[in-house]
Amino acid sequence: MNNLDNIDFSKIKFVLMDMDGVLTDGTVLYSSDGEEIIKVFSVYDGYGIERGHRHGLKFAIISGRSAKANEHRARKLKIDILYQDCGDKVAAYNEIMKKFGLERDNFCYIGDEIFDLPLLNEVMFSCAPANAVDEVKEAVDYVAIKEGGKGAVREIIDLILRKRNLI
Amino acid sequence: MNNLDNIDFSKIKFVLMDMDGVLTDGTVLYSSDGEEIIKVFSVYDGYGIERGHRHGLKFAIISGRSAKANEHRARKLKIDILYQDCGDKVAAYNEIMKKFGLERDNFCYIGDEIFDLPLLNEVMFSCAPANAVDEVKEAVDYVAIKEGGKGAVREIIDLILRKRNLI
Amino acid sequence: MNNLDNIDFSKIKFVLMDMDGVLTDGTVLYSSDGEEIIKVFSVYDGYGIERGHRHGLKFAIISGRSAKANEHRARKLKIDILYQDCGDKVAAYNEIMKKFGLERDNFCYIGDEIFDLPLLNEVMFSCAPANAVDEVKEAVDYVAIKEGGKGAVREIIDLILRKRNLI
Amino acid sequence: MNNLDNIDFSKIKFVLMDMDGVLTDGTVLYSSDGEEIIKVFSVYDGYGIERGHRHGLKFAIISGRSAKANEHRARKLKIDILYQDCGDKVAAYNEIMKKFGLERDNFCYIGDEIFDLPLLNEVMFSCAPANAVDEVKEAVDYVAIKEGGKGAVREIIDLILRKRNLI
């Protein structure tokens, strides 16, 4: 992990992100109404994505679960593509690649769980938040200092922009 | 504590869990509406239970309190049995043993409070999250590194599966 | 602080508590509806108060603010007396003393803020959670290891019960 | 940072504050209803602002975003001026200066983000909470020990009042 020698940051065009534990802190709040009503996000990630957009990056969320709160957050963040209830994240990635005419070297993926490993192994630049499970932290190119829902996504976007001398 | 020598992990078939402080972080959020509306759970526990189920483990929640949020979470996690407002946890355990034709060696229990001690003393494999009260931490076979509602349950399920070479 | 030599624990009959920062973690959550809807409490405090009640202790909340969530929590905890919007905490204390025929030596008060100092200076046993402001931490007999809304009240009740050999 | 030699605390009359990450902890909670419903504030900041008001300080919130929860919190705190969706914070500051007949030396600003830098560079006393981004922490006169939404604002107000021997 944290081996950035093989990463050609100038080629990254698309940042793919898992939702729970990456854009959130991995907690889910249930109300007495019976809905998984509340998710905890970070304003720091929001500004990171906004700045990434301004510098031409695109963003997708690929989540194995679904929640209405996710959709609202994705809309607010102007996320380019949102996959929910996604059973095969590599298939979603292949779809995005095809749709945008991109290749492996154009992708970064940020994931935290066992089921993120197949896609993490596909993309050029694989990342995890500090709270990822050990198997993921051992497999990725970069483990963020910050946790999911607490600025990990912002940290990774800023790293990409900084490596390209954009900020 | 943390004495795993006497545990025959191959026999564990049922993981019993307390709710507050084990599947949640022990906080309860009250709204102005007067209901204990919100409980804080972890997606990491969710995936741990899902993977445990796939490997044949069964799960019960035995809670001394009750809350609608608990029921919703239990349903989402496909928990096999849910006891709420349970005044005698050992009696609930005996019921489960009878119903499923199991014995002491087939059970793990995860608890964090004084009133969890009687059941913790019954089962073969007794566990506590990092935030358990001292009396419980001193009494159990295994104290998780993680806290309740922050992955302690996942850690214990993964330990069981790893000891059985299933993951 | 943390000078327990002058405390006659056998005399304590009433535990007075501030609300925000003592029974809560000092956060207030506002919704878009415009109400201070949500407060964060701890189940550990709940069990501490329940056990204190069983051993004959009485409990009052004396809060300088008010919130509906507080009332619901106070009812759930079976708090004996609740003062809200209380501008003069010493006056409330005098009322309680009169009503229950008690004297200074029968009282513990747990507070965290500047405006708690007058009452903290009145009672025999003055306490603060770990998150109290410095001026309060320097003035009280006992500073809890735990924070408000995370078990500080439980820790103090358990200390009282333990000093009296009740647990 | 933390160079207080050039600050004439006796001149400070107005404390300007960013909202997210300063008066809140930078988290935003989304519900399934689709609204950014909940923000997390600190009661410690509330009492700090109240005490600041009593000693003649004025307070403004200048936020680049907007949320109904912010308005409710601002009203509760009796904030003198609230700017939301503010694209040019320096312009807002100039407006306040004009309206109240004040000058640069009368202002403190507390911000945590890149887009707070222009205004932080304008005022006499620039501050940041502990959770501010690195670029901001390097640029300001004072970095609080506490985090936004956890008492950073209170800490800075108390510092101003203490330097003026008011508390």
Side-chain angles (χ1 to χ4, degrees), chain B residues 61-132:
Chain B
I61 293 168
I62 306 180
S63 175
R65 301 184 191 83
S66 76
K68 284 220 171 119
N70 296 351
E71 293 168 39
H72 300 304
R73 185 62 180 159
R75 198 175 310 128
K76 178 91 171 180
L77 295 175
K78 294 171 185 156
I79 294 297
D80 298 280
I81 306 179
L82 169 65
Y83 284 88
Q84 294 204 93
D85 281 324
C86 180
D88 184 343
K89 296 194 174 195
V90 173
Y93 157 72
N94 284 327
E95 260 183 33
I96 294 171
M97 238 191 316
K98 205 167 187 180
K99 184 174 176 183
F100 288 86
L102 298 172
E103 54 188 23
R104 178 188 172 278
D105 286 5
N106 305 130
F107 286 91
C108 164
Y109 180 51
I110 313 171
D112 68 325
E113 258 289 8
I114 306 288
F115 47 73
D116 292 313
L117 284 170
L119 182 47
L120 287 166
N121 291 331
E122 283 290 328
V123 298
M124 177 180 61
F125 186 35
S126 60
C127 300
N131 56 298

Side-chain angles (χ1 to χ4, degrees), chain C residues 103-117:
Chain C
E103 53 188 23
R104 178 187 172 278
D105 287 5
N106 304 131
F107 285 91
C108 164
Y109 180 51
I110 313 171
D112 68 325
E113 260 287 8
I114 306 288
F115 47 72
D116 291 314
L117 284 169

Side-chain angles (χ1 to χ4, degrees), chain A residues 26 28 31 34 112-113 131, chain B residues 37 39 41 43-44 72-73 154:
Chain A
V28 279
S31 81
D112 68 324
E113 258 288 9
N131 55 297
Chain B
I37 52 157
K39 296 263 187 126
F41 301 96
V43 293
Y44 294 107
H72 300 304
R73 185 62 180 159
R154 163 72 169 271

Side-chain angles (χ1 to χ4, degrees), chain C residues 53-73:
Chain C
H53 266 139
R54 272 209 307 276
H55 288 291
L57 289 175
K58 288 194 182 302
F59 294 88
I61 294 168
I62 306 181
S63 175
R65 301 185 191 81
S66 76
K68 284 219 173 119
N70 296 351
E71 293 168 39
H72 301 303
R73 184 61 179 161

